Amino acid sequence: TRNPGTNAFGDMTFSADGTASGGFKKRLDSQKRAFHKVETRDLAGKWRGCVCAPFVPCWPLTQFFWTEKTALNQDRYEESGHCCCLALPLPCSVESTT
């Protein structure tokens, strides 16, 4: 659910240029819109992300995410997808409603 008066949903903040906090970036071929209030329909689509540690010994803990967001209404979306870690490349499922 959207934090009132913001472009933040839970612990993630989105912008209309297709970026989000936490290292996520929307696909390059996604439709772009001029910045206004970020709508959940603007977030809908396939997302890819990476979270890596700045210290070389921790690089095997790097995580990759492939998720898809679906708009439920103006202020809520559902997310599902997969993630994996370099050290243990077993996929895990990610599902949430925000």
Side-chain angles (χ1 to χ4, degrees):
T1 304
R2 180 191 304 273
N3 298 344
T6 70
N7 286 330
F9 291 80
D11 60 347
M12 292 195 77
T13 301
F14 296 89
S15 67
D17 68 356
T19 59
S21 61
F24 286 94
K25 189 165 193 154
K26 202 168 181 185
R27 289 188 348 234
L28 295 176
D29 61 345
S30 297
Q31 182 180 4
K32 304 286 190 278
R33 294 187 173 97
F35 183 78
H36 293 293
K37 175 184 173 183
V38 173
E39 302 288 338
T40 54
R41 69 174 181 217
D42 294 329
L43 306 177
K46 296 180 180 180
W47 288 73
R48 297 180 185 109
C50 172
V51 177
C52 55
F55 305 107
V56 175
C58 296
W59 283 0
L61 302 177
T62 298
Q63 296 178 345
F64 296 95
F65 301 90
W66 299 267
T67 65
E68 186 165 355
K69 297 179 189 307
T70 305
L72 299 176
N73 60 36
Q74 184 178 4
D75 291 327
R76 298 183 69 220
Y77 69 86
E78 182 176 68
E79 181 175 16
S80 63
H82 301 283
C83 66
C84 71
C85 180
L86 284 179
L88 189 59
L90 299 173
C92 62
S93 294
V94 176
E95 293 186 28
S96 68
T97 301
T98 303

